[in-house]
């Protein structure tokens, strides 16, 4: 049995839009680690998947005229398809709508409730729907979501709470004892500060929408989407199920890869849940930076760049895109994506440095030896330097890979590539080729280059799964001469090596022409998007006229209507339309502003009973704060008629 095991995860993605370069980035990084560990002989578990519940998905589905399940099914297929194109070698793809996951979440929720870790209460606070995250007043940044800067909504509902507040000290202690738990180190302080500011209990159920996993002992509630999602990491391994052998084998995970904005969920909420369940914590959570697009935005709605991974793979090949993403950006920091940077990397690193090294070497072996390197003896000092560097490279590379410094690991490999190219310049095979006495030396130079190419082909495999075989085929290497162990050995290729000329690995791209073509594609797609948007707007307008949108009784119940009596009324200065009214609402009175001054004089209104929407958020109109809205009907010829109520009804009476 293999005792070396390794469990790596990606976040599970919201299927609220098509997968893009950003989501591909995390997945490719996790894939590189999974492949690297497999090469090292580990038994690897690599999971990814989709986080399909929540209010945002429910709303998106409604807008698209689909059921939430129909909506997510379509997008999940796109994720799966893209991972296939990108050569992602995940062992599992977990969907939070999988029955096994749903059951496990219900069991976990019940277990936490029975254990007194979850209790019932009432939630009052702010909610960011796109991020599905709760915030207190003080956590908001300029009144908006502190994570993504978008609008938040006020929420009040009966809910279950997880006793997160009990875990602050335990988490801090855990961080202290496990200094590598949060990576990169630089992000740890922010998390510690967050805990030190005080942890509130976490609302873990919702009643205001339906698209979630029902709490099985109180099915008015659905489980909060983050509790649902985070447990994917154990549920995918069969936690709580009859067959939990994988869970026993692979949990705790070795590393969760997450984007920096969701680190908080993974190093505070997730460990607290695990502690409450009495389970071990993941060994490490690594927060990577964002790939930013032209306008400094993390979403790949970029102006001026083609960012669809499928289009990029089509044009440049999967390995080129994977290489670029892992080489160009330092995994722990943000980086800017541009098509120009991608093309430059392909031209310089792949076509020139690696591609040319291979094609030059194989071409020379063809020219001087008809493709077969004769057995040789002659070795010189310049060889030893190259050989030393090549056989020690794997160790250097592993140190970087073990710390998820992908770009640095690749940079080491490219150092060997450039050393080889320099070695060709220095040994001058074209000169040796002219001198019959130097045939033996020339053969040695060629053999050394093939050995280096063999080592290079093994070390690039985690990042570029399709390229190694092409290299190995051209240099005549066997798969069993290209194992991980062999990457730090010399003299593995047989003497009398038979090479084979092949296609260039990465054709050079004409930058100017390519950028022109890409710009044209961007322009065309912008035009197409604009005309589609116009069509959609026209269609919506038409539908809005014809369709009355039905609501549930719960929706109606959110609007609090009361009868109120107008006690004072005057026009709002500097406004042609507004009247300022003082109304008796049965609770001491309030001020309301209404746009009816062209239809009523104050005298016509004072003393009348009206219907008031009493739970509207306050709004300032022409400098006057309005605390509600008076109901009125829009009549033909733009006339407005206030709905007066029976004078007998006492002010403050609720309307149902
Ligand atoms: N569903 C949650 C995760 C739950 S995990 C238990 C979620 N989903 S997400 O689809 O919004 O984001 C998933 C991951 O993609 C995050 O780690 C996020 O950082 C990453 N990326 C999305 N856009 C990105 C970039 N532009 N660049 C790098 N990664 C980015 O959050």
């Amino acid at each position: 049995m293999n005792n070396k095991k390794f469990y790596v995860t990606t976040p599970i993605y919201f299927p609220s839009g098509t997968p893009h370069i950003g989501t591909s980035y995390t997945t490719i990084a996790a894939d590189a680690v999974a492949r690297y560990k497999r090469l090292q002989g580990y038994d690897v578990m690599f999971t990814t998947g989709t986080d399909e519940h929540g209010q945002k998905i429910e709303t998106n589905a409604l807008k698209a005229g689909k059921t939430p399940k129909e909506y997510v099914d379509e997008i999940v297929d796109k994720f799966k398809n893209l991972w296939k194109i990108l050569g992602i070698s995940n062992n599992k793809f977990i969907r939070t709508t999988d029955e096994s996951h749903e059951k496990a979440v219900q069991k976990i929720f019940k277990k936490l409730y029975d254990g007194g870790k979850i209790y019932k209460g009432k939630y009052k606070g702010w909610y960011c729907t796109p991020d599905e995250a709760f915030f207190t007043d003080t956590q908001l940044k300029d009144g908006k979501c502190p994570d993504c800067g978008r609008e938040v909504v006020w929420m009040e509902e009966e809910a279950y709470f997880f006793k997160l507040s009990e875990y602050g000290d335990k988490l801090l202690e855990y961080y202290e004892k496990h200094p590598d738990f949060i990576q990169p180190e630089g992000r740890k302080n922010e998390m510690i500060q967050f805990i030190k500011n005080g942890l509130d209990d976490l609302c873990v159920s919702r009643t205001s929408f339906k698209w979630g996993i029902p709490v099985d002992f109180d099915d008015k509630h659905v489980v909060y989407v983050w509790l649902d999602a985070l447990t994917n990491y154990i549920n995918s391994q069969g936690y709580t199920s009859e067959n939990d052998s994988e869970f026993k084998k692979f949990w705790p995970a070795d590393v969760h890869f997450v984007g920096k904005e969701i680190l908080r969920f993974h190093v505070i909420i997730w460990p607290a849940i695990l502690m409450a369940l009495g389970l071990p914590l993941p060994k490490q959570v690594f927060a990577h930076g964002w790939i930013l697009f032209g306008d400094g935005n993390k979403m790949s709605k970029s102006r001026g760049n083609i960012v669809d991974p499928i289009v990029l793979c089509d044009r440049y090949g999967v390995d080129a895109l994977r290489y670029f993403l892992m080489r160009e950006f330092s995994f722990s920091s943000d980086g800017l994506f541009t098509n120009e940077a991608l093309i430059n990397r392909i031209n310089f690193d792949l076509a020139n440095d690696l591609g040319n090294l291979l094609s030059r070497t194989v071409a020379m072996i063809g020219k001087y030896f008809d493709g077969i390197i004769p057995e040789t003896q002659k070795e010189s000092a310049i060889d030893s330097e190259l050989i030393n560097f090549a056989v020690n490279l794997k160790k250097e590379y592993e140190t970087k890979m073990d710390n998820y410094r992908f770009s640095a690991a690749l940079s080491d490999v490219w150092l060997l590539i450039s050393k080889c190219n320099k070695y060709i310049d220095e040994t001058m095979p074209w000169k040796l080729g002219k001198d019959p006495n130097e045939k033996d030396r020339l053969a040695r130079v060629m053999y050394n280059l093939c050995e280096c190419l063999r080592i290079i082909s093994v070390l690039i495999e985690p990042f570029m799964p399709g390229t190694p075989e092409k290299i190995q085929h051209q240099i005549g290497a066997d798969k069993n001469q290209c194992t991980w162990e062999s990457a730090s050995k010399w003299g593995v290729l047989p003497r009398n090596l038979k090479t084979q000329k092949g296609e260039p690995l990465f054709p050079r791209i004409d930058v100017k022409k390519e950028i022109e073509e890409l710009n044209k594609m961007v322009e065309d797609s912008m035009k197409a998007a604009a005309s589609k948007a116009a069509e959609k707007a026209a269609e919506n307008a038409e539908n809005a006229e014809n369709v009355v949108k039905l609501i549930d009784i719960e929706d109606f119940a959110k609007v609090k209507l009361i009868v109120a009596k107008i006690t004072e009324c005057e026009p709002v200065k500097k406004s042609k339309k507004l009247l300022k009214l003082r109304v008796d609402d049965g609770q001491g009175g309030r001020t309301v502003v209404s746009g009816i001054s062209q239809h009523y004089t104050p005298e016509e209104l004072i003393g009348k009973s009206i219907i008031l929407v009493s739970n509207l958020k306050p709004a300032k109109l022409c400098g006057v704060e309005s605390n509600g809205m008076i109901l009125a009907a829009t009549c033909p010829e733009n006339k407005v008629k206030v709905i007066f109520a029976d004078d007998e009804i006492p002010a403050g009476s609720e309307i149902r």
Side-chain angles (χ1 to χ4, degrees), residues 10-15 20-23 25-26 51 79 226 229-230 232-233 257-262 266 288-293 297-300:
T10 74
I12 49 171
Y13 301 100
F14 287 134
H20 52 79
I21 288 280
T23 39
Y25 183 57
T26 328
D51 182 2
F79 273 93
W226 272 98
L230 286 163
N232 93 83
Y233 300 129
F257 278 159
V258 300
K260 61 180 185 178
E261 84 287 13
I262 57 170
H266 285 80
H288 63 75
W290 286 343
I291 297 188
L292 303 171
F293 300 92
N297 199 320
K298 130 172 185 291
M299 306 316 283
S300 65

Side-chain angles (χ1 to χ4, degrees), residues 33-51:
V33 170
R35 287 176 182 274
Y36 163 65
K37 287 286 170 186
R38 286 191 201 109
L39 280 168
Q40 285 185 323
Y42 281 77
D43 190 353
V44 171
M45 173 57 67
F46 164 26
T47 64
T48 187
T50 39
D51 182 2

Side-chain angles (χ1 to χ4, degrees), residues 126-140:
W126 298 101
Y127 196 68
C128 171
T129 310
D131 286 351
E132 306 279 10
F134 297 99
F135 298 102
T136 59
D137 264 334
T138 49
Q139 287 169 337
L140 297 185

